[in-house]
Amino acid sequence: MGEESQISPSDAHPGKEQQAAGVGILLQIMMLVLSFVLGHVLRRHKIYYLPEASASLLIGLIVGGLANVSDTETSIRAWFNFHEEFFFLFLLPPIIFQSGFSLSPKPFFSNFGAIVTFAILGTFIASIVTGVLVYLGGLMFLMYRLPFVECLMFGALISATDPVTVLSIFQELGTDMNLYALVFGESVLNDAMAISLYRTMSMLKSHPSSGQNFFMVIVRFLETFVGSMSAGVGVGFTSALLFKYAGLDIDNLQNLECCLFVLFPYFSYMLAEGLGLSGIVSILFTGMVMKHYTYSNLSENSQRFVSAFFNLISSLAETFVFIYMGFDIAMEKHSWSHVGFIFFSIIFIIVARAANVFSCAYLVNMARPSHRHIPSKHQNALWYSGLRGAMAFALALQSVHDLPEGHGQTIFTATTAIVVLTVLLIGGSTGTMLEALQVVGDVHDVHLADSFDINNGYVAPSYDEGSSSGNRLRMKLKEFHQSAASFSAIDRNYLTPFFTSQNGDEEEEELDEPRVSARRNNFYDRD
């Protein structure tokens, strides 16, 4: 028996292994087709209580459950195991790149200070609050007790939000452009922040001595985040200069032009990973820089191709992730003995999300004039949009390997329950909730006039200095808010002329904006 176990199945039955691979891939394609068709039907009939992301997850759960109870061969089931390496290396990069690539620069830079506050400071607050509450819950015997660093790791991974359902409904029903920019911008930067925090806490776990100096922990985090961002921005600028001076925008070189453009994002991702940094952070900023600078150096045909290509790849990857996740949830062994941990974790992340949104909104409103305050109904929509998705699931699966026996499994089970609950239940009620908050409707651009000048791009809002005299914090926040306008002026006057071959980018961008919105519509309608 022992000798037989040493012979791999592929050596014993190579034909059978090939057949099992064919059946496994066929099932995956069938589920993808079913998910796209079902998503189209749901969108066409405007059925918001079953979002497309929820439908994809349900398809994976149902097929996984059937495979679990039936006598499906192990060789076929192996094709559906969720491998975090496959997720991080192949599925996540196109999704994250498309997020950065589809950002409309004007709403993003108009709300740049608020987005950075929610995504960086807010995610940090949410992860710390969650970790501390989970640790205190363990001390009070309310839930399974974990060491403090592991609680912080759980707080970091569970603070990664995935508001695809909310953004999809925003696109369908219409909403204020500033609110859309806040939710979209926060979700894009939030994943990068969460994975950097998780890696920092994981480093603390594996090297306890490094945690004795809190300053070194902060330095390590900044090294990961800023280093990854710098790598991504550097690759993006390099690509812009290459396409500006290489002269590839002629008819017989369009194939080469498109191939090079498609390779740069993965080059950025693998460069950061090879340097021990975060590829997710790097490819995100590469997407933002390549859209803003490199894209305008392409020929028109290549622009259409790369936009459609990344839209297609990201849609396929996003849908497959939810199917893949649902199938794996049904197949994995879960530690359901710690129901208290799951119940209190859900309560704690709701509290942490509230601490994140409302404290950051208070700081942002201190820095803004009264006519640009974030209203309470928008704050409630931001709080409600904090669904958990594939990033939290993948990091939780990674924690099974990073943490001792039992601890990682408990975190993974709790994260699984939270993802299923938020995607299926909260995601299904999102349309009703947003309509009740009166944040959806025909109000697409009501605040854009406050932020933009048609000819000059971003214009800093004027401030009433008398109302803030004597308040040093408010003044500092206003200075930070005004820095977005300064960056926009530098970009317009120096960066854009240097990195692009066209000087009339502002006018082109105005004309191109509906096309960008249509592409972004298609992307988010998928989820």
Side-chain angles (χ1 to χ4, degrees):
M1 186 70 182
E3 292 179 2
E4 287 181 9
S5 62
Q6 294 176 359
I7 301 173
S8 66
S10 57
D11 292 335
H13 305 286
K16 196 169 185 180
E17 277 296 300
Q18 191 172 355
Q19 183 185 10
V23 173
I25 294 171
L26 175 64
L27 284 173
Q28 292 173 354
I29 293 172
M30 288 172 63
M31 287 192 288
L32 274 171
V33 170
L34 178 61
S35 180
F36 278 108
V37 171
L38 183 58
H40 170 71
V41 172
L42 292 171
R43 187 168 64 248
R44 187 171 184 176
H45 294 280
K46 299 184 178 179
I47 301 174
Y48 299 125
Y49 56 81
L50 184 62
E52 294 168 65
S54 305
S56 301
L57 186 69
L58 271 177
I59 289 171
L61 280 169
I62 292 168
V63 175
L66 291 174
N68 216 8
V69 297
S70 65
D71 191 22
T72 308
E73 291 186 30
T74 307
S75 56
I76 296 176
R77 292 170 62 171
W79 278 88
F80 292 92
N81 291 338
F82 191 102
H83 299 288
E84 60 271 22
E85 296 87 359
F86 178 64
F87 173 78
F88 280 113
L89 292 177
F90 297 103
L91 294 179
L92 195 58
I95 297 172
I96 298 295
F97 178 79
Q98 175 67 15
S99 296
F101 194 71
S102 61
L103 271 177
S104 292
K106 291 187 176 181
F108 179 79
F109 284 117
S110 172
N111 294 279
F112 182 74
I115 289 170
V116 169
T117 304
F118 281 109
I120 307 297
L121 178 62
T123 304
F124 181 77
I125 290 172
S127 62
I128 296 298
V129 168
T130 304
V132 169
L133 288 177
V134 168
Y135 182 69
L136 292 176
L139 290 180
M140 297 168 65
F141 301 103
L142 294 173
M143 57 200 297
Y144 185 69
R145 183 174 177 178
L146 294 174
F148 185 60
V149 175
E150 293 180 15
C151 291
L152 291 177
M153 288 176 69
F154 175 64
L157 70 89
I158 207 64
S159 58
T161 60
D162 193 8
V164 289
T165 300
V166 180
L167 292 167
S168 171
I169 292 171
F170 280 172
Q171 290 287 353
E172 289 284 344
L173 301 181
T175 190
D176 175 66
M177 196 61 174
N178 287 318
L179 176 60
Y180 184 95
L182 281 177
V183 175
F184 185 30
E186 188 225 358
S187 69
V188 167
L189 293 177
N190 162 273
D191 283 349
M193 179 68 179
I195 197 170
S196 297
L197 277 174
Y198 178 84
R199 289 190 175 185
T200 303
M201 299 305 170
S202 180
M203 182 267 297
L204 276 181
K205 176 68 181 174
S206 56
H207 302 92
S209 58
S210 61
Q212 295 173 1
N213 188 340
F214 181 74
F215 176 73
M216 290 306 298
V217 175
I218 300 296
V219 168
R220 174 58 183 160
F221 167 74
L222 291 175
E223 179 186 319
T224 301
F225 191 83
V226 177
S228 304
M229 181 178 69
S230 301
V233 171
V235 170
F237 281 147
T238 303
S239 70
L241 290 174
L242 173 68
F243 283 96
K244 179 180 179 179
Y245 292 111
L248 299 174
D249 55 342
I250 54 179
D251 290 340
N252 60 343
L253 290 179
Q254 283 178 6
N255 189 39
L256 174 61
E257 189 180 34
C258 294
C259 288
L260 285 174
F261 193 94
V262 169
L263 288 174
F264 266 101
Y266 259 109
F267 175 77
S268 168
Y269 186 90
M270 295 306 171
L271 174 66
E273 290 292 327
L275 294 173
L277 302 171
S278 171
I280 298 301
V281 180
S282 180
I283 200 172
L284 167 66
F285 284 95
T286 299
M288 295 168 65
V289 172
M290 289 185 74
K291 176 57 189 290
H292 198 49
Y293 301 106
T294 314
Y295 183 77
S296 62
N297 293 333
L298 300 177
S299 61
E300 287 187 16
N301 288 337
S302 296
Q303 287 181 351
R304 285 192 291 269
F305 172 80
V306 296
S307 296
F309 177 79
F310 285 115
N311 187 19
L312 168 69
I313 295 298
S314 62
S315 296
L316 281 170
E318 187 97 39
T319 304
F320 187 68
V321 161
F322 279 99
I323 294 173
Y324 200 34
M325 194 162 57
F327 196 96
D328 195 72
I329 287 170
M331 303 286 285
E332 283 280 344
K333 294 179 180 178
H334 295 284
S335 176
W336 296 110
S337 56
H338 303 297
V339 179
F341 187 90
I342 297 170
F343 175 76
F344 284 105
S345 293
I346 293 171
I347 295 175
F348 292 157
I349 65 167
I350 292 173
V351 173
R353 178 69 181 170
N356 167 356
V357 170
F358 298 118
S359 62
C360 290
Y362 177 76
L363 291 175
V364 170
N365 285 343
M366 285 179 67
R368 286 184 167 187
S370 58
H371 70 281
R372 293 203 71 228
H373 279 187
I374 302 174
S376 58
K377 63 181 182 180
H378 286 190
Q379 295 178 33
N380 291 332
L382 269 169
W383 170 69
Y384 199 78
S385 66
L387 310 181
R388 270 61 179 178
M391 176 65 80
F393 182 81
L395 288 175
L397 194 58
Q398 189 171 317
S399 73
V400 175
H401 307 297
D402 294 342
L403 298 179
E405 184 70 29
H407 293 190
Q409 198 65 43
T410 301
I411 287 176
F412 176 63
T413 302
T415 305
T416 297
I418 291 165
V419 168
V420 172
L421 179 72
T422 57
V423 172
L424 294 183
L425 299 184
I426 298 179
S429 63
T430 299
T432 306
M433 184 68 174
L434 294 178
E435 287 177 343
L437 289 172
Q438 298 179 335
V439 296
V440 289
D442 297 325
V443 288
H444 288 276
D445 300 312
V446 291
H447 293 305
L448 286 179
D450 296 334
S451 309
F452 304 123
D453 177 87
I454 292 176
N455 297 319
N456 298 320
Y458 181 82
V459 175
S462 59
Y463 296 104
D464 181 7
E465 297 296 338
S467 64
S468 60
S469 58
N471 191 330
R472 295 179 62 186
L473 174 61
R474 187 183 293 254
M475 292 300 296
K476 289 291 183 185
L477 289 170
K478 286 185 177 181
E479 289 173 13
F480 176 72
H481 188 69
Q482 287 175 314
S483 67
S486 302
F487 174 77
S488 183
I490 293 170
D491 170 54
R492 185 172 61 253
N493 296 327
Y494 301 103
L495 296 180
T496 298
F498 182 75
F499 287 106
T500 66
S501 55
Q502 301 165 6
N503 294 323
D505 284 338
E506 280 85 23
E507 288 78 11
E508 283 196 14
E509 205 168 6
E510 288 290 339
L511 296 173
D512 198 45
E513 195 70 34
R515 193 169 63 192
V516 174
S517 299
R519 285 197 298 269
R520 188 175 60 190
N521 255 333
N522 294 336
F523 172 67
Y524 279 111
D525 282 350
R526 271 294 324 125
D527 303 303

